[in-house]
Amino acid sequence: TSKDEKVRPSHRALNNIVSPLGVPWISGDGNRLRFPGDPHAPARDTVNCRCWIATKVDESRNVLAA
């Protein structure tokens, strides 16, 4: 998240969550999010979303995680 007072509660719970590539996050409202601003998710979880993701490569496991 953007880690400030404007972060919606349903996204605050997702901060620093690691998810394997292709596995959606579940927002605090119970919605599946493939990425920040996912157009298939409800507007209450996407409009003005300022969340971001980073890709991390775990070479010890030969696994790509997002």
Side-chain angles (χ1 to χ4, degrees), residues 34-50:
R34 297 174 299 161
F35 47 82
D38 185 347
H40 295 287
R44 70 177 179 270
D45 258 340
T46 60
V47 172
N48 296 323
C49 176
R50 299 173 302 124

Side-chain angles (χ1 to χ4, degrees), residues 13-52:
L14 298 174
N15 193 49
N16 292 323
I17 298 296
V18 175
S19 179
L21 191 62
V23 176
W25 288 269
I26 307 299
S27 77
D29 288 342
N31 299 309
R32 296 166 60 94
L33 302 167
R34 297 174 299 161
F35 47 82
D38 185 347
H40 295 287
R44 70 177 179 270
D45 258 340
T46 60
V47 172
N48 296 323
C49 176
R50 299 173 302 124
C51 294
W52 54 278

